[in-house]
């Protein structure tokens, strides 16, 4: 990684949950960087919504990667397809992304959660 990026990143504080802010600030300082949003697919924690930067040579520059357990090791950066719906949260049963303010990703998860917690759940129609 370019030394100027390394020195900039080394001075950052309060990085947890601040990827959008730090990538925007870093892009303003280094306009050659392209800002990307998507998911950091961590082998230990799964897909996490995230922002990062890409250098002109295609190298990923992630000013907040140290917030993750894997610190970039073994993780995949997956850019968001802007044509897709935005996720609105995570399934209360399995943790997968949900859309349109649903609480569960599928009726299978609704049934499983109902059985596990022995509660009556609201079944929202999946689209």
């Amino acid at each position: 990684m370019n030394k100027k990026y390394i020195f900039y990143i080394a001075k950052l504080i309060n990085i947890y949950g601040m990827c959008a802010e730090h990538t925007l600030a870093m892009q303003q300082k280094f306009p050659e960087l392209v800002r990307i949003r998507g998911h950091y697919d961590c082998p230990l924690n799964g897909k996490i919504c995230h922002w990062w930067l890409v250098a002109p040579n295609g190298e990923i520059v992630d000013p907040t990667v140290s917030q993750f357990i894997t610190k970039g090791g073994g993780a995949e950066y997956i850019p968001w397809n802007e044509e897709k719906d935005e996720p609105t949260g995570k399934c209360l049963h399995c943790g997968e992304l949900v859309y349109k303010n649903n609480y569960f990703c599928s009726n299978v998860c609704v049934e499983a959660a109902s059985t596990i917690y022995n509660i009556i759940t609201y079944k929202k129609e999946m689209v």
Side-chain angles (χ1 to χ4, degrees):
M1 184 184 311
N2 189 311
K3 286 183 183 179
K4 65 184 179 180
Y5 305 150
I6 294 170
F7 290 134
Y8 180 89
I9 292 169
K11 295 177 184 177
L12 295 178
I13 56 172
N14 298 329
I15 59 165
Y16 184 78
M18 301 287 291
C19 57
E21 293 85 349
H22 284 302
T23 54
L24 184 58
M26 191 167 181
Q27 184 187 46
Q28 289 171 348
K29 173 93 173 155
F30 305 105
E32 71 275 13
L33 297 173
V34 176
R35 192 164 172 254
I36 307 289
R37 77 176 179 133
H39 293 94
Y40 177 87
D41 194 0
C42 176
L44 299 176
N45 296 105
K47 288 183 183 174
I48 302 164
C49 295
H50 191 52
W51 287 87
W52 63 92
L53 300 153
V54 176
N57 66 0
E59 182 178 32
I60 290 176
V61 178
D62 188 346
T64 62
V65 73
S66 63
Q67 71 181 309
F68 301 117
I69 295 170
T70 56
K71 312 255 186 273
E76 182 181 359
Y77 289 83
I78 304 168
W80 180 252
N81 178 347
E82 296 296 335
E83 294 176 5
K84 291 175 71 177
D85 286 338
E86 290 285 334
T88 55
K90 291 191 175 185
C91 177
L92 295 177
H93 179 67
C94 73
E96 286 293 318
L97 295 174
V98 295
Y99 302 86
K100 300 180 181 176
N101 295 316
N102 284 308
Y103 297 108
F104 297 97
C105 64
S106 67
N107 285 331
V108 171
C109 280
V110 170
E111 294 298 326
S114 295
T115 301
I116 290 171
Y117 301 112
N118 196 24
I119 59 172
I120 298 172
T121 58
Y122 173 74
K123 289 186 184 180
K124 205 168 191 185
E125 188 170 297
M126 306 305 297
V127 179

